[in-house]
Amino acid sequence: MAFCFEKDQLVIASEGFLSVTMQSIVQEIGKPTYVYDLDEVVRRLKHLSGAFTENTTIHYAMKANSHPEILKAVAQLGLGVDVVSEGEIRLALKAGVDPGKVVFSGVGKSKSEIRHAIEVGIRQINVESVGELRRIGEMAGSLKKVCNVAFRMNPDVDPDTHPYIKTGFRDNKFGMDESALPELEEVLKANSEYVHLTGLTLHIGSQIRELESFLDAIQKTLPIWDHLKEQGYPLETFDIGGGVGISYTEENPESDYALIAEYGAAVNKLLGDRAIELQVEPGRVVVGRSGVLLTEVQYIKQTPYKNFAIVNSGMHHLMRPSLYSAYHRVEPIEKYTDRPSMVYDIVGPICESSDVIGHDRSLPRLEEEQWLAIRDAGAYGFCMANTYNAHELPEEVVVSEGRKL
Ligand code: LLP
């Protein structure tokens, strides 16, 4: 049942095992800490694996959270990863991910990153520009090694999400317009010995909870697939990217599971009887709700205008509220039902007014040295943390089957 309250304590509960209280982690570590529920991560990966056609490969988008224990779990389930740098390739392989199950996305791949990807023999590079395809041609030719590529198309859709995390609109730097195809085909021809076009790929953005945009993007791209097939390209894979959003407001995560199931069924229907290996690159929906950030109240500061709860995690530990005005629930790790409710701005120690975790939160009266949980922080939390103002990075703890790993 992942994170929940048991006897007024926030815990990770896993069926058949003793629950682990956040209080016990605070007592042991005493510093800002990300805590992950690995069993929930595994449950979500299994649910995703079963939601699409049988011929589907899940490539976990490890940019969301690249903790080694999470990558190990991905590898043990026989799944793949979507990477966006040489560093991520190295982390994935170190955790035991099969190089044949690595796809490499991103608009700015350097020569050395492309060389490394070809040398270790990853499944495919998702190409984002004509220049990149040329570069792949040069590198594969000089290494005399075949490189599979998939063209990332920009389907020009405008999903309902924050503008900073839309990627499939025509103004975005990602993917390629259909008009690039003639030039791409020329480059392919010139490099036909070592560069093989094996698929198409999409990724329209992140934290998307309406399925229409995903389906619209796929529908717009399938004719390109059919056209290239007719041209004689031996296409095998269609990668629909990641982007399925999570609920940041509900205590019960069931709606995430339902959304994945609905998405899977709709995609399967769209693909029809095409012989396609489907690829999916989920990130947030795997790990987002499987993590919290524990932080301690340092001071309660009351002004004539506001009550501030100043905590020891801020935009340096969790950037999402400052960067995307993202909402994260904040709760005491121990419920105090006897305290009156008060309204607080939860803010960090960083010397900027953008350093706010949550505005106008109604909470049982807070006290100094009390610990809070910033909920649903498993995705794009620790991996985006930094040491601004020369602060320390937060700690990380992974819990599985009732114990800390
Ligand atoms: N595939 C590609 C090519 C991507 O660029 C991304 C995310 C994903 C898959 C995974 O998307 P997801 O399933 O996690 O939505 N830092 C932002 C999110 C940035 C997403 C970047 N790309 C945030 O905290 O909301």
Side-chain angles (χ1 to χ4, degrees):
M1 182 36 207
F3 287 92
C4 60
F5 279 91
E6 275 177 6
K7 296 192 197 118
D8 292 340
Q9 292 279 330
L10 183 61
V11 301
I12 293 178
S14 195
E15 226 176 292
F17 299 94
L18 278 181
S19 296
V20 176
T21 65
M22 295 306 104
Q23 194 64 49
S24 69
I25 292 172
V26 161
Q27 268 158 13
E28 193 181 317
I29 298 182
K31 290 180 180 185
T33 304
Y34 276 96
V35 185
Y36 308 123
D37 176 1
L38 190 61
D39 302 343
E40 176 66 15
V41 170
V42 168
R43 254 194 309 277
R44 283 175 178 246
L45 286 169
K46 286 184 177 163
H47 181 64
L48 278 154
S49 302
F52 297 89
T53 61
E54 257 174 48
N55 193 11
T56 296
T57 313
I58 301 293
H59 295 107
Y60 165 60
M62 62 180 278
K63 62 173 77 63
N65 187 327
S66 51
H67 191 287
E69 292 295 343
I70 294 177
L71 298 181
K72 249 199 266 171
V74 168
Q76 277 163 8
L77 289 167
L79 306 180
V81 288
D82 166 57
V83 301
V84 284
S85 69
E86 179 173 341
E88 286 193 348
I89 297 177
R90 288 183 187 276
L91 284 177
L93 299 194
K94 198 169 159 202
V97 175
D98 174 357
K101 290 186 176 160
V102 175
V103 300
F104 188 4
S105 306
V107 292
K109 303 174 191 84
S110 70
K111 281 188 182 172
S112 64
E113 287 181 315
I114 292 172
R115 186 183 307 113
H116 182 70
I118 298 173
E119 275 170 353
V120 300
I122 68 164
R123 173 72 192 266
Q124 87 203 24
I125 296 184
N126 291 346
V127 175
E128 305 241 10
S129 64
V130 177
E132 182 186 331
L133 186 63
R134 256 189 228 112
R135 194 176 259 190
I136 292 169
E138 281 164 30
M139 311 303 295
S142 71
L143 289 168
K144 300 204 179 327
K145 243 188 126 178
V146 168
C147 179
N148 291 337
V149 296
F151 291 163
R152 176 165 175 184
M153 306 312 296
N154 182 320
D156 187 18
V157 293
D158 191 7
D160 179 18
T161 189
H162 191 279
Y164 291 0
I165 52 176
K166 289 180 189 189
T167 54
F169 188 55
R170 59 178 176 271
D171 283 357
N172 300 140
K173 67 180 174 180
F174 300 96
M176 299 178 287
D177 185 79
E178 211 175 329
S179 60
L181 282 176
E183 212 179 341
L184 288 167
E185 289 189 62
E186 259 174 50
V187 181
L188 275 182
K189 241 178 243 148
N191 295 279
S192 58
E193 193 174 353
Y194 294 112
V195 182
H196 296 167
L197 176 67
T198 53
L200 293 182
T201 165
L202 288 172
H203 174 72
I204 62 167
S206 196
Q207 185 50 20
I208 301 167
R209 297 273 288 177
E210 43 95 12
L211 297 179
E212 294 80 34
S213 298
F214 290 120
L215 304 178
D216 193 20
I218 296 169
Q219 224 152 11
K220 280 177 147 176
T221 310
L222 281 173
I224 304 174
W225 165 280
D226 293 337
H227 165 77
L228 289 167
K229 273 288 234 202
E230 273 163 34
Q231 304 291 301
Y233 291 103
L235 298 190
E236 299 159 7
T237 58
F238 193 104
D239 181 347
I240 57 172
V244 173
I246 57 173
S247 167
Y248 279 99
T249 53
E250 296 162 324
E251 178 64 19
N252 184 339
E254 281 314 305
S255 69
D256 296 353
Y257 284 86
L259 190 64
I260 292 167
E262 197 188 331
Y263 182 38
V267 170
N268 296 348
K269 201 165 151 204
L270 271 188
L271 296 184
D273 52 10
R274 291 177 182 82
I276 286 181
E277 178 193 336
L278 187 69
Q279 299 175 327
V280 194
E281 302 171 355
R284 183 191 317 264
V285 79
V286 178
V287 286
R289 300 213 47 171
S290 315
V292 299
L293 171 58
L294 303 180
T295 185
E296 187 187 36
V297 177
Q298 302 300 302
Y299 301 103
I300 302 296
K301 180 169 169 175
Q302 292 181 308
T303 77
Y305 310 102
K306 284 270 181 193
N307 294 326
F308 293 102
I310 303 172
V311 298
N312 59 0
S313 281
M315 62 192 288
H316 57 319
H317 290 174
L318 180 67
M319 221 191 252
R320 305 195 66 258
S322 304
L323 196 53
Y324 319 109
S325 307
Y327 178 86
H328 284 263
R329 289 177 291 154
V330 180
E331 292 171 333
I333 63 170
E334 231 180 321
K335 268 194 181 153
Y336 296 99
T337 39
D338 53 341
R339 292 191 189 172
S341 212
M342 288 182 69
V343 176
Y344 297 93
D345 274 10
I346 317 285
V347 298
I350 298 295
C351 299
E352 294 199 22
S353 293
S354 58
D355 185 27
V356 178
I357 298 287
H359 286 284
D360 297 325
R361 299 304 177 86
S362 180
L363 291 168
R365 183 173 44 74
L366 297 176
E367 289 182 357
E368 288 175 9
E369 297 183 34
Q370 180 182 345
W371 284 78
L372 305 177
I374 306 171
R375 302 287 303 269
D376 310 319
Y380 306 107
F382 183 85
C383 56
M384 289 173 72
N386 58 67
T387 58
Y388 186 32
N389 287 185
H391 282 291
E392 283 183 356
L393 286 175
E395 304 288 320
E396 286 180 295
V397 168
V398 178
V399 172
S400 177
E401 301 190 338
R403 63 188 186 93
K404 294 164 218 140
L405 298 183

